[in-house]
Amino acid sequence: MRQAYEKRFPTCPQIPVFLGSEVLRESRSADGAVHVVERSCRLRVEAPRLLRKIAGVEHVVFVQRNVLNWRERTLLIEAHNETFASRVMVNENCSYTVHPENEEWTCFEQSASLDIRSFFGFESALEKLAMKQYTANVKRGKEVIEHYLNELISQGTSHIPRWTPAPVREEDARSQAGPRDPGALEADRPCSAPGPAPETVITDGDKLDADYIERYLGHLTPVQESCLIQLRRWLQETHKGKIPKDEHILRFLRARDFHLDKAREMLCQSLSWRKQHQVDLLLQTWRPPALLEEFYAGGWHYQDIDGRPLYILRLGHMDTKGLMKAVGEEALLKHVLSVNEEGQKRCEGNTKQFGRPISSWTCLVDLEGLNMRHLWRPGVKALLRMIEVVEDNYPETLGRLLIVRAPRVFPVLWTLISPFINENTRQKFLIYSGSNYQGPGGLVDYLDRDVIPDFLGGDCVCNVPEGGLVPKSLYLMEEEQEHTDQLRQWRETYQSASVLRGAPHEVAVEILEGESVITWDFDILRGDVVFSLYHSKQVPKPGPQEPGAGAGGQLTDKGWVLGVDYSRVEAPLVCREGESIQGSHVTRWPGIYLLQWQMHSPPGNVACSLPGVEDVLTALHSPGPKCKLLYYYEVLASEDFRGSMSSLESCTSGFSQLSATTSSSSGHSHSSPLVSR
């Protein structure tokens, strides 16, 4: 059975979704009776295209651990997902054992569990899909094993003799008794698991000084203290390079609930990342460009009421799109990393200053001015990447996040980013709309009154830059962009369209339930256009399309009557050449919504037969027979949009009122178009 099972690796044509595997770790016991193999397996995602697009992956990675015990004649298999592990946990266990009454029979047991914490609002659909695929895979797994058993028989292997221990020479015994990988054959078991286990036993030499713990680390249980010692010792024995401080190691243990193996894996990946990108030298080598210093609206500002360093970010005043186009995504990421490095340094300083362990910092985010411009899709993708990098490498460094003056558009942004934020981190978010941050229950509960910034009604002058729009003259030209992949990704995000004179470009969006949110983002490359949004109960039939144009074209029938066959739900917006427009619309009814761009023609001057100066200038700057634009649109389902609000822990702060206003059940639509000139 074991030989038949091993034939599935590294690839298995009989399982099309199995793309391949690689061995991560492999070990054998001294007598050769126990063989442990840990593999990383890639599986193709068998899911609807929409779900794959939202998840952003075409394959997922599972880690599989096989323990073959020749002496006991057992094969135990454990598997868990590595992809989306913070949102979905899949655990599977299989065992092959000899039947107690008939040695010619093999007993097979299989069990699996699925725990969906959050998955972009598609939790129910994912659960049904997983159950369907799991049932099919159980049947398929049996067929594959039978296939390879028949293949072994056809090759002449029909019986494998019982295992007997090989004689061990004295010198081999001495060499095998030496040091070994501490996690080679031990079961993957959390340090907090009950019952006696080697990693939870503390001897007198394995204890930390009580004063040291109280002064620098904070309260630790004996089990947690043991985990810290075990992980530090393992690093000293195996890690080549600078050993991180106990405070640093402790953050990773806390992030993985003191599960020693998971914390060790997370920490090792982070140390490798730090070495690859020379993050340890970042504060000495990184000097932000002058443009970032002027327009990046963030900076350090004293500390909170608990002594944590306080960082203020005026996100609503910051032109994220302009900054990305002026300095690039990599420079922004490096700046964010430098903020996190500085935060750890300040925590160490405050620990010494206040005489108690301070391992995290507080962030105050002011969202006044947040609008659809901040939802520029490449900017959101860059934000998600930064969140992923920070969560992987700076766990448990954020003590509290205070979000104030959250506007109506915030739920759209929260819907897009919240699935990528760890649940433990989300518990630290406190969100206030309007002026709810003032008075009892507001900022005064977390900041001393003489620290509250002046722009939030306090008396303290805050020197954080005010941000503002980055002039387009400072944007990098394409030939100046160092990161061609970034430009390619931006282009792939958007669709191009040509707007012909007398033939508008239209895109149909089907809405299945009343309250959904349609968001749009487009750049006018050539000419002036008029943008409108319509609603129709009937599905339009696409007409002929210009070669090379993106999906769309004119969809409305020329015989349709406005107000009868379709209705306008957004007032027309004139968009000039070179402008960037972002907006959203909360739908009122199900049906078909049409995004329309048509060429803008200024009204003719009928009062005079001779052309005026403006007419001549208009003719000189006329784009000719067509205008060009790049556009992107997205639909947020009603369940996702409302759920992004009600799921927050801080609804008592008044944010529930914001939720009710934004996704009003009265049915009134809301749009927030923004023009960047």
Side-chain angles (χ1 to χ4, degrees), residues 242-367:
K242 181 181 177 182
I243 302 299
K245 297 180 180 180
D246 286 347
E247 300 94 308
H248 190 101
I249 299 173
L250 197 55
R251 290 190 183 108
F252 287 83
L253 284 166
R254 285 172 173 153
R256 290 296 178 262
D257 297 323
F258 287 88
H259 190 301
L260 189 58
D261 292 325
K262 292 181 179 180
R264 178 168 54 208
E265 181 180 1
M266 183 183 185
L267 178 57
C268 287
Q269 290 177 353
S270 179
L271 292 175
S272 175
W273 170 83
R274 294 182 70 88
K275 182 179 179 180
Q276 178 184 353
H277 298 281
Q278 298 185 337
V279 180
D280 288 335
L281 302 175
L282 189 61
L283 290 181
Q284 290 77 40
T285 59
W286 169 247
R287 292 293 178 269
L291 191 148
L292 260 183
E293 291 185 331
E294 180 180 356
F295 290 98
Y296 190 90
W300 294 99
H301 180 81
Y302 302 101
Q303 55 269 332
D304 70 2
I305 203 168
D306 297 317
R308 295 188 183 101
L310 175 63
Y311 189 83
I312 293 180
L313 181 65
R314 304 188 70 177
L315 183 60
H317 286 208
M318 195 159 65
D319 180 10
T320 52
K321 180 175 183 178
L323 284 174
M324 282 190 63
K325 289 201 168 187
V327 302
E329 181 180 331
E330 293 304 316
L332 272 177
L333 174 60
K334 189 169 289 188
H335 191 64
V336 169
L337 296 181
S338 72
V339 170
N340 281 270
E341 289 293 306
E342 177 67 22
Q344 293 187 104
K345 182 180 177 181
R346 287 175 177 260
C347 286
E348 292 179 8
N350 284 19
T351 295
K352 296 177 181 178
Q353 178 183 347
F354 296 108
R356 63 179 185 274
I358 295 174
S359 59
S360 60
W361 45 285
T362 292
C363 186
L364 171 61
V365 181
D366 179 21
L367 294 184

Side-chain angles (χ1 to χ4, degrees), residues 408-444:
R408 292 167 63 95
V409 73
F410 176 69
V412 181
L413 177 63
W414 181 253
T415 299
L416 295 173
I417 68 172
S418 59
F420 297 88
I421 301 175
N422 184 276
E423 182 63 30
N424 291 337
T425 304
R426 274 195 272 176
Q427 299 293 332
K428 302 171 184 177
F429 283 37
L430 293 164
I431 306 174
Y432 302 88
S433 64
S435 60
N436 291 333
Y437 64 91
Q438 299 175 351
L443 294 183
V444 293

